[in-house]
Amino acid sequence: MLLWKVSGFQQPSVRRLRLQRKFHFLLCLSGLVTLCFGALFLLPLFLPLRLQQPDQEVVADVSSHLLARGMVPPPKPAPAAPALGEHEPRSQSRILRKKGGARRTWPTIAAVRPKNKSVLFSFDFNAFRSRLCHPVLGARADEKSSRSPVRAQREKIKEMMKFAWQNYKRYAMGQNELRPLTKDGYQGKLFGGLGGATVIDSLDTLFLMELKEEFREAKAWVEESFHLNVSGVASLFEVNIRYIGGLLSAFYLTGEEVFRVKAIELGGKLLPAFKTPTGIPMRCINFKSRSGSFGWDWNTMGDSSVLAEIGSLHLEFLHLTELSGKQVFAKKIRNIRKVLRNTDKPFGLYPNFISPLSGKWEQQHVSVGGLGDSFYEYLIKSWLMSAKIDLEAKTMYYKALEAIETNLLKVSPGGLTYIAEWKGGTVVNKMNHLACFAGGMIALGAEEAEETERAHYRELAAQITKTCHESYARSDTKLGPEVFWFVSSREAMAIYGRESSYTLRPEVVESYMYLWRQTHDPLYREWGWEVVVALEKYCLTEAGFSGIRDVYSSTPSHDNKQQSFFLAETLKYLYLLFSDDDVLSLEDWVFNTEAHPLPVNHSDSSSRAWG
Ligand code: DMJ
């Protein structure tokens, strides 16, 4: 109004004023319409950012994720890992902190999860590495002397790994396993069409042994040729322990995003198998129909799930949650724990088969060997991996062990301690090679037991390992059979033909490794070296290592298979047996049942769901 009083300013006519108002109104309206249209077009561009929200079940979406497709870098990229074999600076890794020393923290999911849920999840790899108690590959105290016999032994094992890898690469790269006699590859049906089991199983062993060129080859294959869009039926357990375990370890050892992204994507593909009335997963996953399946061996296994298989997801699935921010993985395995804990157990024992439909035990068969084995192993390792907060796992482990001792632990007339099997109320006096991991497991658990129990468990671990050594020592090849009995005429030896094979299995040397770290008794290195010598003598072929059909023949025939677990486990445990204790220290790492190291949760946070 004031303006009208200023000289030279003319008061507009009422009609002109109305026209101006109409014009302004139209201008605003058209602006608003343009804005709405613009928003409609731009919205889809931002939608993918919402895919990584925690708890979202459709984890397979990771593949369509911008990060997974390599289009955008993560907001906080994992730092470049030290070049393979490169030493971490001593300052970065604290040497053996004493109890009560500086508090160790591992970034929690909450700590690294961005506040704004629409931002991609990231994992602070640097922070994780700085919390380890030891350099990953140790401080290398024994590297100083190049003439140390132990170093030479280690070098020998490294050479064996190099040979196994190079032949696999030459004749079978990308297939699951090498057939050294026919010099070709083997795909098999265990993995539902996934390839490269030997590549994934070898990654961390190559890294550990500082086989740099070979590690680069393996990593390049994962980047360029490891495809997850397959359509077969796969064993949930095998995919988990070999592929997920192998990828997780490779990530934790190197910080390379490709391993993390693939592990999470593959983990997501396993989730449909858990869609059962009890949440107990079915044995297999049909990648094509994206549903659980009773598998190809339905005839022999029926519609049961297997104790070792459902009990050996815990370690890997917690790490999938850790690295993805998705609670769905942790929820699935916590539910399995709940069902197993609440189900009645005959004499405190866990039978090997359970129905995923009813949650009831299906057969009265108990074994610490195949079908049962790694369920027990994962209980004590869950306790350790949780940095000793998962009390439930610890309690379940000792209770189960107590029941095993009461019902299945025997001493043969010849004085050999063994763990028998139990079938429908009858004790079967045999052990299989697979059960020989138990010496190592009991040694590991002994240190966690009540003070008054420790000596007992240490002794038990030593006795079982001694028995397993006997099964090797009593053969012509000094390699152990698949199954060995304790009957009047024969102790720690196979009886029936097919029981006499040795398929390059790791369990016996695995126990030597744990017993060595526990006792430093040179006996375990001697026994380990006997295995190295025997492997060279009987399993080495022109184009790789092969299992043998009869350990009691000094000219055994080969089974034409270089198992992927030979590179993942047997050679790794042998190498660690001849390494210092701080190489992949047991303070920092637990080994999954395929010997893939997963880090202990060095965290003080109570918000984490590791229990
Ligand atoms: C491996 O795949 C794993 O150790 C599994 O737990 C049992 N069998 C083989 C090795 O023998």
Side-chain angles (χ1 to χ4, degrees):
M1 286 303 210
L2 258 180
L3 285 176
W4 298 345
K5 289 185 181 162
V6 178
S7 63
F9 190 88
Q10 286 178 10
Q11 189 178 356
S13 73
V14 176
R15 200 161 163 257
R16 242 179 89 199
L17 202 63
R18 277 198 195 126
L19 270 174
Q20 265 183 1
R21 277 188 188 154
K22 275 187 188 164
F23 175 72
H24 283 145
F25 174 73
L26 281 173
L27 205 65
C28 286
L29 194 70
S30 66
L32 203 67
V33 170
T34 319
L35 210 68
C36 288
F37 267 104
L40 268 180
F41 281 114
L42 288 175
L43 198 60
L45 292 181
F46 294 101
L47 274 180
L49 291 180
R50 292 157 37 136
L51 286 176
Q52 290 257 16
Q53 289 185 7
D55 274 348
Q56 193 174 324
E57 296 262 341
V58 195
V59 184
D61 282 350
V62 172
S63 61
S64 61
H65 200 285
L66 296 177
L67 174 59
R69 286 189 266 132
M71 290 168 66
V72 289
K76 250 197 222 169
L84 184 62
E86 198 176 89
H87 244 133
E88 288 161 292
R90 254 171 169 271
S91 61
Q92 263 204 13
S93 38
R94 314 193 178 150
I95 309 296
L96 256 175
R97 265 167 298 211
K98 294 269 178 297
K99 269 190 192 147
R103 279 164 75 82
R104 298 180 301 198
T105 52
W106 197 14
T108 64
I109 291 176
V112 293
R113 179 184 289 151
K115 290 229 167 64
N116 178 355
K117 279 189 172 182
S118 68
V119 179
L120 295 178
F121 180 84
S122 74
F123 176 78
D124 193 340
F125 183 77
N126 249 352
F128 147 67
R129 285 294 281 258
S130 71
R131 302 300 186 259
L132 294 178
C133 303
H134 301 273
V136 173
L137 299 183
R140 302 167 185 224
D142 76 349
E143 289 292 281
K144 314 246 152 52
S145 149
S146 59
R147 278 183 293 162
S148 135
V150 173
R151 189 175 167 181
Q153 288 171 307
R154 212 166 46 232
E155 283 305 311
K156 175 75 210 161
I157 298 159
K158 181 171 169 176
E159 245 176 56
M160 291 163 77
M161 178 70 189
K162 193 169 177 170
F163 181 77
W165 169 262
Q166 284 180 341
N167 280 288
Y168 165 75
K169 188 186 79 178
R170 179 160 179 203
Y171 298 112
M173 189 67 177
Q175 301 222 43
N176 284 323
E177 281 161 330
L178 164 70
R179 296 199 297 188
L181 300 190
T182 42
K183 297 185 180 169
D184 57 7
Y186 173 76
Q187 199 60 7
K189 56 183 178 180
L190 221 45
F191 309 115
L194 291 171
T198 295
V199 180
I200 310 284
D201 251 357
S202 297
L203 283 162
D204 51 16
T205 312
L206 295 171
F207 182 88
L208 166 71
M209 296 182 182
E210 298 175 76
L211 287 163
K212 300 179 189 181
E213 187 50 39
E214 290 76 5
F215 179 83
R216 269 191 286 275
E217 291 161 359
K219 184 184 150 210
W221 184 87
V222 175
E223 283 168 333
E224 291 152 25
S225 311
F226 182 39
H227 303 299
L228 305 186
N229 52 339
V230 291
S231 56
V233 174
S235 154
L236 197 66
F237 166 77
E238 295 292 352
V239 170
N240 179 59
I241 66 166
R242 301 193 202 208
Y243 284 89
I244 307 268
L247 290 165
L248 289 172
S249 290
F251 171 71
Y252 281 117
L253 293 174
T254 66
E256 298 281 358
E257 275 294 291
V258 62
F259 301 128
R260 181 176 80 113
V261 170
K262 295 266 185 196
I264 296 167
E265 184 179 352
L266 187 52
K269 282 175 169 281
L270 303 183
L271 292 178
F274 291 79
K275 281 189 191 149
T276 65
T278 57
I280 294 282
M282 295 171 84
R283 297 193 62 222
C284 293
I285 175 78
N286 184 326
F287 285 130
K288 189 171 181 193
S289 62
R290 294 183 192 172
S291 56
S293 148
F294 291 123
W296 355 258
D297 49 1
W298 191 83
N299 286 343
T300 49
M301 292 285 194
D303 55 7
S304 303
S305 294
V306 172
L307 181 68
E309 298 185 345
I310 60 170
S312 309
L313 303 165
H314 205 98
L315 306 179
E316 296 82 359
F317 272 47
L318 282 185
H319 277 289
L320 286 176
T321 286
E322 171 72 11
L323 294 184
S324 69
K326 292 169 193 297
Q327 289 296 325
V328 62
F329 297 108
K331 272 189 197 161
K332 299 291 182 206
I333 45 96
R334 257 188 238 115
N335 178 61
I336 298 177
R337 168 87 63 82
K338 200 169 113 200
V339 175
L340 292 176
R341 192 191 57 215
N342 294 338
T343 310
D344 281 344
K345 292 154 227 8
F347 305 104
L349 296 167
Y350 288 81
N352 289 338
F353 297 100
I354 189 167
S355 162
L357 307 175
S358 67
K360 300 240 178 320
W361 304 118
E362 298 248 278
Q363 293 173 37
Q364 300 289 301
H365 180 200
V366 178
S367 146
V368 177
L371 303 173
D373 49 7
S374 40
F375 159 69
Y376 306 98
E377 175 188 347
Y378 271 38
L379 288 177
I380 189 64
K381 288 182 177 176
S382 294
W383 160 252
L384 293 169
M385 198 179 84
S386 72
K388 308 185 185 181
I389 61 167
D390 185 357
L391 256 177
E392 181 182 71
K394 184 185 178 188
T395 311
M396 285 171 77
Y397 168 76
Y398 287 112
K399 273 191 168 177
L401 191 55
E402 210 181 301
I404 289 165
E405 276 198 73
T406 311
N407 297 287
L408 304 177
L409 193 73
K410 308 280 167 201
V411 179
S412 73
L416 296 177
T417 303
Y418 63 98
I419 305 176
E421 296 194 6
W422 193 72
K423 271 194 179 168
T426 309
V427 170
V428 185
N429 291 301
K430 67 168 182 178
M431 254 179 101
N432 51 35
H433 194 289
L434 290 166
C436 284
F437 84 98
M441 174 186 75
I442 295 168
L444 198 60
E447 304 311 312
E448 305 304 314
E450 297 288 323
E451 185 83 51
T452 49
E453 294 289 303
R454 274 181 212 160
H456 164 71
Y457 284 130
R458 284 182 192 138
E459 180 57 17
L460 181 59
Q463 288 304 327
I464 291 171
T465 305
K466 183 176 160 218
T467 299
C468 290
H469 173 258
E470 278 305 309
S471 78
Y472 276 50
R474 294 178 187 201
S475 78
D476 295 45
T477 55
K478 305 299 166 214
L479 292 167
E482 183 69 6
V483 180
F484 46 98
W485 292 81
F486 300 87
V487 288
S488 49
S489 54
R490 229 167 148 80
E491 288 194 358
M493 291 181 81
I495 294 181
Y496 307 104
R498 287 174 63 188
E499 295 173 347
S500 307
S501 61
Y502 171 70
T503 58
L504 302 175
R505 285 198 192 280
E507 291 77 13
V508 175
V509 292
E510 175 181 350
S511 284
Y512 294 167
M513 192 281 289
Y514 283 109
L515 267 291
W516 162 258
R517 287 213 173 171
Q518 185 184 49
T519 64
H520 289 155
D521 185 337
L523 190 67
Y524 297 111
R525 280 188 167 167
E526 276 167 34
W527 288 353
W529 194 248
E530 286 169 9
V531 177
V532 172
V533 172
L535 284 169
E536 282 266 300
K537 192 163 176 193
Y538 296 106
C539 300
L540 184 67
T541 75
E542 192 193 313
F545 287 88
S546 167
I548 54 175
R549 292 207 174 86
D550 184 5
V551 294
Y552 303 111
S553 156
S554 51
T555 51
S557 68
H558 291 112
D559 69 5
N560 195 20
K561 205 156 177 204
Q562 180 177 280
Q563 304 273 355
S564 78
F565 55 67
F566 179 65
L567 295 88
E569 298 190 72
T570 312
L571 293 175
K572 185 187 284 135
Y573 284 132
L574 280 169
Y575 187 84
L576 289 173
L577 176 61
F578 294 96
S579 299
D580 286 344
D581 293 357
D582 60 355
V583 179
L584 290 178
S585 161
L586 296 177
E587 263 195 290
D588 286 326
W589 304 90
V590 292
F591 291 92
N592 88 340
T593 191
E594 189 77 2
H596 295 306
L598 298 171
V600 170
N601 167 34
H602 291 315
S603 166
D604 292 331
S605 168
S606 53
S607 68
R608 289 183 62 97
W610 285 87

